Amino acid sequence: MVIDKKLLELKKQLQETGKFMMEYDLAWGNSGNISAKTENNSFLITASGTYLGDLDVEDFAECSLGVSERSSFGPNPSKEVPMHQAIYETRPEIGAVLHASPLYSTLIASSQLDIPAAWFVEGMYYLERIERVPYAHPGSIELGELVREKAKNANILLLENHGVLVYDTSIKEAKMALQTLEMACRMLIISRNAGIVLQELSDNEIHSFLHDSGYKPRRKWEN
């Protein structure tokens, strides 16, 4: 049997990501699913019922992109395939999608609170655009289509009464975005409970950072 070394390496990166998410309280139990795009017009996604902290190389299904009917190879993929597929098809530059229900982020997703992006540098970059997705049952085609619509204008989606969806050009960037999101949500909740008013940077300072600081190239959006 021919071993696809690139596919195996991608699986190892996803294994490490699952452990990272569990270690830093970004996932729990068997909730959450993660995926990464391959070079074969497909994506690898965790199999149904897997535990992110202890993934084996056999715990991934490969799902095709750009076909009229969904097809997959290997074990049964997570039922959340519609969300992942919608993002990869809507945003061709995306390389990885992380779905989880971290405590503080899910608290915010289940509320009507907004997440300020202008508290710290990483927030200005990773949390520049956040969208909310109305509740639809997990794994449903309806949820997939709601995600498809919102994915055009954000890299972080708050799934109301469900969790969060974070996606970026690489697994590394998606991990950073997820951890930054959880930190910002934790700061928001703790500061509100403690009666601490956190200062936000001005619009001019935000614009200057995103365009002129040299921190990272600014993301390009359609609008």
Side-chain angles (χ1 to χ4, degrees), residues 132-148:
R132 283 184 173 272
V133 176
Y135 178 82
H137 294 327
S140 65
I141 299 298
E142 179 187 2
L143 179 56
E145 291 309 306
L146 288 170
V147 166
R148 186 184 300 275

Side-chain angles (χ1 to χ4, degrees), residues 118 200-209:
E200 291 187 42
L201 297 172
S202 68
D203 290 342
N204 287 338
E205 288 169 320
I206 295 171
H207 184 276
S208 175
F209 168 76

Side-chain angles (χ1 to χ4, degrees), residues 103-124:
L103 175 60
Y104 292 97
S105 299
T106 305
L107 281 171
I108 298 302
S110 301
S111 75
Q112 291 301 313
L113 293 175
D114 292 324
I115 304 170
W119 283 342
F120 51 91
V121 167
E122 291 78 9
M124 286 190 285

